[in-house]
Amino acid sequence: MTANLVLLSGGVGGARLARGFEHLEEVRSTVVVNVGDDETIYGLHVSPDVDTVLYTLAGVEGPQGWGRAGDTMVLMDHLSKLGVDTRFRIGDADAAVNVYRTMRIRAGDQLDEITAALARTLGVRSRILPATNSRLRTEVRTGPGCWLPFQEYFVLRGHRDEVAELRYAGAESATASPGVVEAIRSADAVIIAPSNPPLSIWPILAVADIGAAMRDARRVMAVSPLFGGRALKGPADRVMSSLGLPPGNSGVLAAYDGLLHDLFIDSLDAGDAPSLEQAGVSVHVGSTLIAEEDRAVTFAGRMLEVL
Amino acid sequence: MTANLVLLSGGVGGARLARGFEHLEEVRSTVVVNVGDDETIYGLHVSPDVDTVLYTLAGVEGPQGWGRAGDTMVLMDHLSKLGVDTRFRIGDADAAVNVYRTMRIRAGDQLDEITAALARTLGVRSRILPATNSRLRTEVRTGPGCWLPFQEYFVLRGHRDEVAELRYAGAESATASPGVVEAIRSADAVIIAPSNPPLSIWPILAVADIGAAMRDARRVMAVSPLFGGRALKGPADRVMSSLGLPPGNSGVLAAYDGLLHDLFIDSLDAGDAPSLEQAGVSVHVGSTLIAEEDRAVTFAGRMLEVL
């Protein structure tokens, strides 16, 4: 029997889990990817999370969690000589993808069509859908009245600032890209990847018809991004805390307020299980480390068994 | 005494003549460059003639008459792998200039400011002004009702097609970029470079206030692009002929209808001199080969003597 799965994904964590599922023949998966991180950089439309998923599933991802393995920086070097601020590093193969995306957007094509074409070119089997073709941008309030574009907060300022508030500009009028709502409605389970809940998953849920479809989903399973209460990398625990969510996996459960049927947490957080179970969610404890491909495949298999 | 010169220029020929004048200390020159060849390629705003002038004056021009010497093609190779048509070749250093230009245009900056910044970065002494900051595009009619964008005619189709008619889309509402009209009015002489008259110079003269200023210019000296009645490279003679201009330098004189006080022609065309003189223009016969820098300097010196 084939399991139809939908994976809601940010960048690295979701990409790695998606890679695990891509190895399971009995799974048909649709990866719905956050576009709140999208930005115009060097005049190019960059979609960092979409590209991380594409590159990871194609096996060409960069070791740092962005860009491509072994990419050259010829264009950056030349831009730098022209006095352009090149702290946002885009390698040449990565730049070509962004040039391609930007050309097609200007020609009137939609993000989902462009993503599908890139997936075909890169030889990716899973279906990858940007959450929305509409313009939606995560913005981060770090001080009174002070809203930063996501990439300025995340890349240029190294996500050091305390996050007081988030907003998803454009979300109110955004609609799910074609196929997303149908995929969620017909999925045997929707899996929320071990991505940063407020920064990577909320911007997906902020699209009204995706949020509504999620409330009707047959089964929603989340994988916690926490290990011993902390994110492996990135600011998930700090952001959840500064936004007033409870610490540890109670915070993850609260972040997905009423949506979850199952929560997969790491063995390091086994102590969180009783209170989570009491809150009415099925808790599955075990290693949730999926950085290496074989571990991701094993973990995906475990999720499938639970399902 | 300093001579104030304005040079009207297309790509290679004008760039080479401008390089000659850049070596003469007693000359202050402003190069007014055609932008009718500008195009959006790979989503980037390319200004081929402006860049040829910039690169030639900076001594980094490509040997083929476009792009930069020793440039790499990393971005083109990656775009090509994505299935993008990369027949319009843009090297990486050249691409960086176009990315820079496009970023600044999107940020609301004008072509003349961007050109000035590039000239500073590249260490160019002459003032280089795009003819207009307005959108002006040369279009080429090659068949009944069939108008091609300039770069499609010139680069992609290799300027093989017979040119039945030209138009300069946007010229009717275009205005000269800041400083152009003042430079022409105060110039001791305006020099029309040995560029293609219909394809490179007419789009400059099509800007109404430039055309008007030229009719009032103190002295207008043109350098013929013909050698034995033919262009060294490119389709100048064929285009002039298919547009109904007389053959040889009579065609050049007619192309600049009533504007010229002086015409510099090559020794190969000495036979054209009598009829040209009869038409009321001062003719100067000698070698007009300026491909090599020292010859360009010598030729520029000769023009200055005549002046």
Side-chain angles (χ1 to χ4, degrees):
Chain A
M1 209 198 78
T2 301
N4 280 310
L5 300 182
V6 168
L7 189 67
L8 305 193
S9 171
V12 179
R16 287 173 174 171
L17 185 54
R19 180 165 61 178
F21 281 110
E22 188 147 273
H23 283 267
L24 303 181
E25 294 216 343
E26 62 274 38
V27 168
R28 272 210 349 226
S29 62
T30 298
V31 190
V32 177
V33 189
N34 172 40
V35 295
D37 299 13
D38 284 26
E39 189 52 274
T40 303
I41 296 176
Y42 314 124
L44 304 175
H45 182 117
V46 304
S47 293
D49 282 354
V50 169
D51 286 348
T52 295
V53 172
L54 280 170
Y55 296 159
T56 303
L57 292 184
V60 298
E61 80 282 7
Q64 326 87 332
W66 53 268
R68 295 177 65 149
D71 211 354
T72 50
M73 289 284 165
V74 176
L75 186 64
M76 289 299 109
D77 292 345
H78 287 300
L79 281 176
S80 179
K81 283 182 207 145
L82 293 171
V84 175
D85 174 358
T86 55
R87 284 175 297 161
F88 195 101
R89 309 296 288 166
I90 299 183
D92 297 312
D94 199 13
V97 165
N98 289 308
V99 166
Y100 173 82
R101 176 184 292 115
T102 309
M103 284 171 68
R104 289 200 54 182
I105 286 176
R106 293 243 169 77
D109 293 334
Q110 300 294 316
L111 212 48
D112 66 320
E113 306 168 279
I114 302 165
T115 304
L118 286 168
R120 266 195 307 277
T121 305
L122 291 165
V124 172
R125 194 172 71 96
S126 305
R127 185 162 67 140
I128 302 177
L129 297 175
T132 176
N133 287 331
S134 314
R135 184 189 162 83
L136 183 155
R137 294 288 180 271
T138 301
E139 296 174 346
V140 179
R141 187 164 72 73
T142 57
C146 176
W147 289 94
L148 300 180
F150 179 82
Q151 295 299 349
E152 188 175 341
Y153 155 76
F154 199 84
V155 174
L156 300 188
R157 299 184 55 81
H159 50 69
R160 284 186 305 270
D161 307 305
E162 184 171 309
V163 174
E165 196 181 346
L166 292 171
R167 67 183 178 194
Y168 309 102
E172 59 291 338
S173 57
T175 53
S177 68
V180 169
V181 167
E182 297 72 7
I184 292 173
R185 289 197 191 284
S186 64
D188 297 307
V190 179
I191 294 167
I192 300 181
S195 299
N196 187 316
L199 294 180
S200 298
I201 304 298
W202 287 2
I204 302 176
L205 300 174
V207 178
D209 49 356
I210 298 182
M214 284 297 289
R215 281 186 290 280
D216 297 337
R218 201 164 299 154
R219 189 163 180 182
V220 180
M221 309 167 97
V223 182
S224 172
L226 303 181
F227 295 84
R230 305 205 152 274
L232 270 192
K233 209 184 138 186
D237 49 311
R238 286 184 290 118
V239 172
M240 294 203 301
S241 161
S242 70
L243 291 174
L245 291 164
N249 282 305
S250 302
V252 175
L253 186 62
Y256 300 130
D257 184 31
L259 278 184
L260 301 190
H261 303 97
D262 300 85
L263 180 55
F264 288 74
I265 64 173
D266 192 75
S267 311
L268 289 173
D269 301 291
D272 292 352
S275 65
L276 293 168
E277 293 274 8
Q278 213 165 5
V281 70
S282 299
V283 180
H284 311 277
V285 183
S287 171
T288 58
L289 280 169
I290 54 168
E292 285 127 41
E293 194 160 355
D294 54 344
R295 281 173 177 261
V297 177
T298 305
F299 183 76
R302 229 184 94 210
M303 292 196 83
L304 204 60
E305 267 169 43
V306 167
L307 182 62
Chain B
M1 210 199 76
T2 302
N4 280 310
L5 300 183
V6 168
L7 189 67
L8 305 193
S9 172
V12 179
R16 288 174 172 169
L17 185 54
R19 180 164 63 180
F21 280 110
E22 188 147 275
H23 282 268
L24 303 180
E25 294 215 344
E26 62 274 38
V27 169
R28 273 209 348 227
S29 61
T30 298
V31 190
V32 176
V33 188
N34 171 40
V35 295
D37 299 13
D38 284 25
E39 189 52 273
T40 302
I41 296 175
Y42 313 124
L44 305 175
H45 182 116
V46 305
S47 294
D49 282 354
V50 169
D51 286 348
T52 294
V53 172
L54 280 170
Y55 296 159
T56 303
L57 292 184
V60 298
E61 81 281 7
Q64 324 86 332
W66 54 267
R68 294 177 66 151
D71 211 353
T72 50
M73 289 284 166
V74 176
L75 186 65
M76 288 300 108
D77 291 345
H78 287 300
L79 280 175
S80 179
K81 283 181 206 145
L82 292 170
V84 175
D85 174 359
T86 54
R87 283 176 298 161
F88 195 100
R89 307 297 288 167
I90 299 183
D92 297 312
D94 198 13
V97 165
N98 289 310
V99 167
Y100 173 82
R101 176 184 293 115
T102 309
M103 284 171 68
R104 291 198 55 181
I105 286 176
R106 294 241 169 78
D109 294 333
Q110 300 293 318
L111 211 50
D112 67 320
E113 308 168 279
I114 302 166
T115 304
L118 286 168
R120 267 195 307 278
T121 303
L122 291 166
V124 171
R125 195 171 72 96
S126 304
R127 184 161 67 140
I128 302 177
L129 298 175
T132 176
N133 287 331
S134 315
R135 184 188 163 84
L136 184 154
R137 296 287 180 273
T138 301
E139 297 175 346
V140 179
R141 187 164 72 74
T142 56
C146 176
W147 289 94
L148 300 180
F150 180 80
Q151 295 300 348
E152 188 175 340
Y153 156 75
F154 199 83
V155 174
L156 300 189
R157 299 184 55 81
H159 51 69
R160 284 186 304 270
D161 307 306
E162 183 171 309
V163 175
E165 195 180 350
L166 291 171
R167 67 183 178 196
Y168 309 102
E172 58 292 340
S173 57
T175 53
S177 69
V180 169
V181 168
E182 298 74 4
I184 292 172
R185 288 198 192 284
S186 64
D188 297 308
V190 178
I191 294 166
I192 300 181
S195 300
N196 187 316
L199 294 181
S200 298
I201 304 297
W202 286 3
I204 302 176
L205 300 174
V207 178
D209 49 355
I210 298 182
M214 285 296 290
R215 281 186 289 279
D216 296 338
R218 202 164 300 154
R219 188 162 179 183
V220 180
M221 308 165 97
V223 182
S224 171
L226 303 181
F227 294 83
R230 304 207 153 270
L232 269 191
K233 208 184 140 185
D237 49 308
R238 284 184 291 121
V239 172
M240 295 202 304
S241 160
S242 68
L243 291 174
L245 290 165
N249 281 305
S250 302
V252 175
L253 186 63
Y256 300 130
D257 181 32
L259 280 184
L260 301 189
H261 303 97
D262 300 85
L263 180 56
F264 288 74
I265 64 173
D266 194 76
S267 312
L268 289 174
D269 302 290
D272 292 351
S275 64
L276 293 168
E277 292 273 7
Q278 213 164 6
V281 70
S282 300
V283 179
H284 311 279
V285 183
S287 172
T288 59
L289 279 168
I290 54 168
E292 285 126 41
E293 194 160 354
D294 56 344
R295 281 174 177 261
V297 178
T298 306
F299 183 76
R302 229 183 94 210
M303 291 197 82
L304 205 60
E305 266 170 45
V306 167
L307 181 63

